[in-house]
Amino acid sequence: LRHGGNKLVAAVAFAPDGSQLATAGADGTVRLWHGETYDAVGVLDLGEPARGVGFTIAGRHLVVGLKEDLRIV
């Protein structure tokens, strides 16, 4: 996986059912990937570096850790 070219991947999380993978990056984005093929399926621009990422238990939302707060998307 490449996260925004050669930018640092700060965190990786799998959805509870394994259908998706999320990466949080130093480039200020969270990227979603297909859980089996690892094809990119989406990108969310946060505007600041992400430090952590995780799926909620139901797998319908992401929790993203930033320097000063958390965002649920």
Side-chain angles (χ1 to χ4, degrees):
L1 294 176
R2 289 190 172 217
H3 190 96
N6 293 324
K7 295 292 185 177
L8 175 69
V9 173
V12 176
F14 273 95
D17 65 1
S19 65
Q20 290 188 320
L21 170 72
T23 57
D27 65 346
T29 64
V30 170
R31 296 176 187 269
L32 294 176
W33 310 87
H34 188 278
E36 292 182 19
T37 65
Y38 302 113
D39 291 331
V41 295
V43 63
L44 175 65
D45 188 356
L46 301 169
E48 64 179 293
R51 297 179 177 217
V53 66
F55 284 88
T56 58
I57 292 172
R60 294 173 41 191
H61 299 281
L62 285 172
V63 179
V64 181
L66 304 169
K67 183 177 180 180
E68 301 274 333
D69 63 1
L70 295 174
R71 291 189 194 164
I72 299 175
V73 292

